[in-house]
Each structure stands twice: as C-alpha cells, then as structure tokens.
Amino acid sequence: AQSVTQLGSHVSVSEGALVLLRCNYSSSVPPYLFWYVQYPNQGLQLLLKYTSAATLVKGINGFEAEFKKSETSFHLTKPSAHMSDAAEYFCAVSPFQGAQKLVFGQGTRLTINP
Amino acid sequence: DTGVSQNPRHKITKRGQNVTFRCDPISEHNRLYWYRQTLGQGPEFLTYFQNEAQLEKSRLLSDRFSAERPKGSFSTLEIQRTEQGDSAMYLCASSLASGVTGELFFGEGSRLTVL
C-alpha cells in the first residue's frame, strides 16, 4: 500500500530564508508524487508533480521538489520564503498513472516570520 | 470557469440527524471525488465518480454514507444518523479523465460539526 509521511507538522522560517518541507513515501511500484498547498479559507491546489520524467520538478510560486528514489523522498524547497507562502502543504502519492485515489500526508503548516 | 463549489460551507447538526452536502464540479470535468479531512490530518479518499458511475468507494465509507451523481454533473454526499466521529471537513474535487494524473481541483470544503 502507498503512504506518505511528512516530517514536522509545523515549520517556521524567517522571510527570505530557505524553506524545506520533508516528505517520504512508501510505494511498492514507481509512484507519482505531488505537493498540494492550502491557503487559509481556500481549497487545496496543485503546487507541483513528479510523474517519472525529470527528478527535479519545478512548480508554481518558486517552489521545487526533487525525487530521490534511494531515499524514498520528495522534499519541497524554496530558496527564499515570502510572507505569502504561509499555508498548509500536503504531500501526496498515486501508485500509477490513471490511479484515481491520492493518498495524502498529514500536512505541514508553514509559518513565515517577518 | 467558476471552480468547484460546495454547499453548505458549514453545517452544525445534532447526533442522529441526517445531513447532505452538495458539490458542483468544474463544468467540463467528468471525474468527481469526495475526501474527508479531520483536524491535523490530510485528506482521506472516500469515493469517486466518472460521469454518473461510482467507480470506487473507500472502506471509510460506512453504510451510513451514500454518494450520488445522478446526471454526471453535481454530486451529493449524504450521512445518515450522524455520529460525533463524523465531524470533519468534507472536500470535493473534480478533474478531467484526460487530464494529468493527480491534478485535482478542490472546492473549499463543507465543515460538519456533530453535537
């Protein structure tokens, strides 16, 4: 069965600092991996996705993530945090293309300090 | 494109009552999903439809839960004889069958509080 674990339910960084949100996955087959973001009082929206092409994936708002099979990781990074990045971030896995069920991690709440 | 719309946004009910949530997906999307999110957790898959056909249901969906999408457009999620453990945010999402795997468009959710 597929699963994801997000290390750290809360992450706090200063504005302009590096953002690193950790995600490890468990999958018996090569997975498709996703990061979703949920801003306050809004629905979840797709930030970026890994679908077995390039291992370094770029998303919206300057975020990127690197798929590392040897570490079963898909960590999300942004070089310089902005106040508008404050939100909840969810890592998710789908076992294969066409699978309709996403399995989400428990989420990481990112706080940006001025 | 008005996005995925969910109603009501908030529902407070007493234990034992029935509740119904409605989801209007993005108009051209033929796939529709229901997820449940409890405090401090990520969304958990409940069920999904392709057009009017319900193709998968999670074990989380007890016999008190039923979902329909009668004409392949909007969907309803009904919970009968609500229990306090049903308190959660119920999320609806939609996508195109021909779209990118895993690219779901979520609504803002319907929050249920069972007293």
Side-chain angles (χ1 to χ4, degrees), chain B:
Chain B
D1 184 349
T2 57
V4 177
S5 176
Q6 294 189 244
N7 288 288
R9 293 291 310 280
H10 303 275
K11 178 72 176 179
I12 299 174
T13 191
K14 293 183 179 180
R15 188 177 54 186
Q17 298 294 305
N18 299 343
V19 296
T20 299
F21 299 112
R22 175 177 170 130
C23 172
D24 288 89
I26 294 172
S27 58
E28 63 268 28
H29 285 184
N30 47 7
R31 286 182 173 160
L32 186 147
Y33 312 78
W34 286 99
Y35 282 79
R36 180 175 70 184
Q37 186 177 17
T38 53
L39 201 61
Q41 299 298 319
E44 296 173 292
F45 172 82
L46 293 179
T47 188
Y48 101 93
F49 293 82
Q50 179 154 325
N51 300 313
E52 65 275 12
Q54 188 173 19
L55 297 185
E56 186 175 351
K57 294 195 293 186
S58 165
R59 287 186 298 249
L60 294 173
L61 218 64
S62 76
D63 56 5
R64 296 185 298 106
F65 288 70
S66 62
E68 295 182 340
R69 194 182 183 198
K71 296 183 179 180
S73 57
F74 73 91
S75 174
T76 57
L77 177 68
E78 181 182 17
I79 308 173
Q80 296 182 325
R81 305 181 303 279
T82 53
E83 302 172 355
Q84 289 185 326
D86 298 331
S87 296
M89 180 76 86
Y90 290 86
L91 304 175
C92 178
S94 68
S95 71
L96 281 168
S98 58
V100 174
T101 293
E103 184 165 17
L104 306 184
F105 295 80
F106 282 85
E108 295 176 347
S110 293
R111 182 172 297 282
L112 173 65
T113 301
V114 181
L115 301 177

Side-chain angles (χ1 to χ4, degrees), chain A residues 13-105:
Chain A
V13 302
S14 299
E15 191 174 18
L18 171 72
V19 175
L20 171 61
L21 305 182
R22 299 178 187 274
C23 173
N24 288 88
Y25 70 91
S26 172
S27 177
S28 57
V29 297
Y32 284 49
L33 293 159
F34 309 85
W35 277 97
Y36 275 80
V37 59
Q38 187 173 30
Y39 298 105
N41 299 314
Q42 296 186 26
L44 282 82
Q45 65 181 88
L46 183 65
L47 197 57
L48 52 78
K49 59 186 180 291
Y50 166 75
T51 57
S52 75
T55 56
L56 183 62
V57 180
K58 295 186 184 299
I60 61 173
N61 300 335
F63 283 92
E64 62 182 35
E66 186 172 8
F67 172 70
K68 291 187 176 180
K69 184 178 178 181
S70 61
E71 299 177 8
T72 61
S73 68
F74 190 57
H75 302 332
L76 182 70
T77 60
K78 181 174 180 177
S80 176
H82 191 272
M83 295 299 291
S84 61
D85 295 327
E88 185 132 23
Y89 292 79
F90 295 93
C91 184
V93 64
S94 172
F96 52 84
Q97 183 175 2
Q100 298 311 311
K101 182 172 61 180
L102 289 181
V103 176
F104 286 85

